[in-house]
Amino acid sequence: MKKEKVLLGMSGGIDSSMSAWYLQNMGYEVIGITFNTISNSLTDHTPQFIAEAQTLAAQLNIEHHVLDVYNQFKKEVIDYFVDEYLKGRTPNPCIRCNETIKWKLLLEESQRLQCTKISTGHYVNITEKEGFYHIQKGKDPSKDQSYFLWNLPQSILSRCIFPLGSFLKSEVKDKAAKLGFQSIVKKRESMGVCFLQGQDYRSYINDMRPELKNKLKNGEVWNSTGNKIGTHDGFPYYTIGQKRGINLQADHGEYVAKIDAANNRLITAPKNTLFTKHLMIHTYLTSNPSFLQGPQQVDLRIRGLDAVPPTPGTIELIDKELHIHFSNPVWALTPGQSIVFYQDNIVVGGGIVDNMEFNAGNESL
């Protein structure tokens, strides 16, 4: 009997490598693929993560492909990342990559290689609800990556399988050790934005746009009443809610409240004024297109990698604008970041924060 084929995105790390093993044991024929997003020349040398993915594929006796997508990645993700900061926004490159590079190409390559399923090493599950597929939080709350997958369309979700969603990370590491995969067990886990390679994003922007450093330094800092209270090193190096790194004439207890990119100016305000109770967004997606036919009670997650729990709230579509109401005010919402909507730990949709105003002070701070 011919096995069903699944295309697995492989990064050379423990999660995608162990996904290959689990998928094999679930009865699938696994084909691995690794995207080169880091090196602008594969002819000179093979990046370490690609070599590690090739080694693991050989150990598991699975077919493996390398796809050079550096130019596409630079255009769609790296340039977007830099340009968003230069607009005074805070981007999420992982979510952008999922939409424009990673999952788009996984779907295209799965069709080319005649695979019926697509897989990655994310610690999430896939579930069907009312005829539509949704991302669901996995077993391990410390590895929950559902926030970053809100913008996947049904054409992709309908093909997804996530073998690690029912495991804790510690269980996956223990299994890898028992199988003798010591190299991936001992490998340091990568965190943060992949293309930064551990570099601070500010110095990365300087490297990408070296002509801006002198042009942007000594920008003005104004408070919310219109008085100049200090200077800054360049508006792209700050985000909403930041206090450190602002050169104030005195300790005013001020935080960045707005970034005026056109004038290279930061607008600051007291911490207790940086709260939001409601906003409207124009860029959004729901897994079920009819989900927004009326107001919906949801849990709202505004950041993907912190321990802050989701905030209950309501979303309602009014004249093509999605109105979001938080039951409790949230602090330091930032233009460019994503808000993800959950019901019972299932991702029902998400959207991107547009320009907004803080509208809910908190006198207790």
Side-chain angles (χ1 to χ4, degrees), residues 279-286 288-298 314-325 341 350-351 354:
L279 76 156
M280 295 174 289
I281 63 175
H282 302 89
T283 302
Y284 55 86
L285 178 73
T286 57
N288 183 344
S290 63
F291 181 74
L292 295 173
Q293 288 183 348
Q296 293 287 342
Q297 298 291 322
V298 293
T314 303
I315 57 175
E316 183 176 10
L317 186 60
I318 303 175
D319 295 331
K320 297 183 179 181
E321 292 183 323
L322 190 60
H323 292 242
I324 300 176
H325 298 268
F341 322 139
D354 300 312

Side-chain angles (χ1 to χ4, degrees), residues 228-244:
K228 179 183 174 182
I229 60 172
T231 62
H232 62 81
D233 298 325
F235 73 86
Y237 314 138
Y238 300 86
T239 189
I240 304 301
Q242 185 171 335
K243 183 178 183 182
R244 193 170 72 173

Side-chain angles (χ1 to χ4, degrees), residues 33-37 42 65-70 105 109 112:
I33 190 166
T34 303
F35 298 136
N36 170 46
T37 59
L42 290 181
H65 299 262
V66 176
L67 194 63
D68 187 359
V69 299
Y70 176 80
L105 294 176
E109 291 300 301
R112 183 180 70 84

Side-chain angles (χ1 to χ4, degrees), residues 12-78:
I14 186 171
D15 297 330
S16 59
S17 300
M18 285 304 296
S19 292
W21 185 87
Y22 282 114
L23 287 166
Q24 284 183 319
N25 281 269
M26 293 165 65
Y28 289 99
E29 178 185 343
V30 181
I31 297 177
I33 190 166
T34 303
F35 298 136
N36 170 46
T37 59
I38 302 300
S39 175
N40 61 6
S41 176
L42 290 181
T43 57
D44 297 335
H45 72 285
T46 300
Q48 183 178 350
F49 74 97
I50 294 178
E52 290 171 340
Q54 291 172 326
T55 298
L56 263 298
Q59 283 183 269
L60 294 169
N61 195 30
I62 64 175
E63 182 181 332
H64 182 265
H65 299 262
V66 176
L67 194 63
D68 187 359
V69 299
Y70 176 80
N71 289 333
Q72 293 167 263
F73 184 80
K74 182 181 182 302
K75 177 183 176 182
E76 296 290 349
V77 181
I78 295 177

Side-chain angles (χ1 to χ4, degrees), residues 2-229:
K2 197 171 182 179
K3 292 182 178 180
E4 188 175 7
K5 293 199 291 186
V6 56
L7 182 65
L8 171 68
M10 298 184 69
S11 66
I14 186 171
D15 297 330
S16 59
S17 300
M18 285 304 296
S19 292
W21 185 87
Y22 282 114
L23 287 166
Q24 284 183 319
N25 281 269
M26 293 165 65
Y28 289 99
E29 178 185 343
V30 181
I31 297 177
I33 190 166
T34 303
F35 298 136
N36 170 46
T37 59
I38 302 300
S39 175
N40 61 6
S41 176
L42 290 181
T43 57
D44 297 335
H45 72 285
T46 300
Q48 183 178 350
F49 74 97
I50 294 178
E52 290 171 340
Q54 291 172 326
T55 298
L56 263 298
Q59 283 183 269
L60 294 169
N61 195 30
I62 64 175
E63 182 181 332
H64 182 265
H65 299 262
V66 176
L67 194 63
D68 187 359
V69 299
Y70 176 80
N71 289 333
Q72 293 167 263
F73 184 80
K74 182 181 182 302
K75 177 183 176 182
E76 296 290 349
V77 181
I78 295 177
D79 289 348
Y80 149 84
F81 176 82
V82 174
D83 290 344
E84 282 287 277
Y85 273 114
L86 294 179
K87 294 175 184 176
R89 295 163 61 87
T90 301
N92 193 311
C94 298
I95 292 175
R96 173 77 171 189
C97 177
N98 283 336
E99 177 185 13
T100 61
I101 300 292
K102 183 175 183 176
W103 289 92
K104 175 178 176 288
L105 294 176
L106 281 173
L107 177 61
E108 291 175 3
E109 291 300 301
S110 71
Q111 294 168 336
R112 183 180 70 84
L113 295 167
Q114 299 181 324
C115 297
T116 57
K117 295 289 186 181
I118 304 170
S119 186
T120 63
H122 286 89
Y123 286 79
V124 295
N125 291 307
I126 194 81
T127 187
E128 187 178 359
K129 183 179 179 183
E130 298 178 357
F132 294 92
Y133 293 90
H134 298 71
I135 295 292
Q136 185 177 34
K137 289 184 178 183
K139 178 181 178 181
D140 193 337
S142 69
K143 290 294 297 179
D144 177 36
Q145 297 156 315
S146 58
Y147 173 90
F148 300 97
L149 302 174
W150 68 263
N151 59 351
L152 300 185
Q154 288 296 304
S155 59
I156 290 172
L157 291 177
S158 61
R159 288 173 171 257
C160 285
I161 180 170
F162 297 104
L164 302 190
S166 56
F167 295 99
L168 299 174
K169 178 64 177 267
S170 58
E171 294 172 330
V172 174
K173 289 188 72 172
D174 287 346
K175 175 60 74 173
K178 290 176 182 177
L179 293 170
F181 297 144
Q182 295 301 326
S183 61
I184 59 173
V185 173
K186 295 177 180 178
K187 184 180 178 182
R188 184 177 179 181
E189 188 169 7
S190 60
M191 300 291 289
V193 178
C194 65
F195 58 85
L196 292 181
Q197 299 285 284
Q199 184 179 5
D200 181 83
Y201 85 90
R202 299 165 183 86
S203 64
Y204 187 84
I205 291 175
N206 286 339
D207 291 344
M208 295 295 290
R209 302 283 197 278
E211 74 281 2
L212 292 175
K213 186 173 183 180
N214 290 330
K215 182 179 177 181
L216 295 177
K217 69 179 182 180
N218 296 321
E220 295 181 344
V221 178
W222 288 17
N223 63 17
S224 54
T225 60
N227 296 313
K228 179 183 174 182
I229 60 172

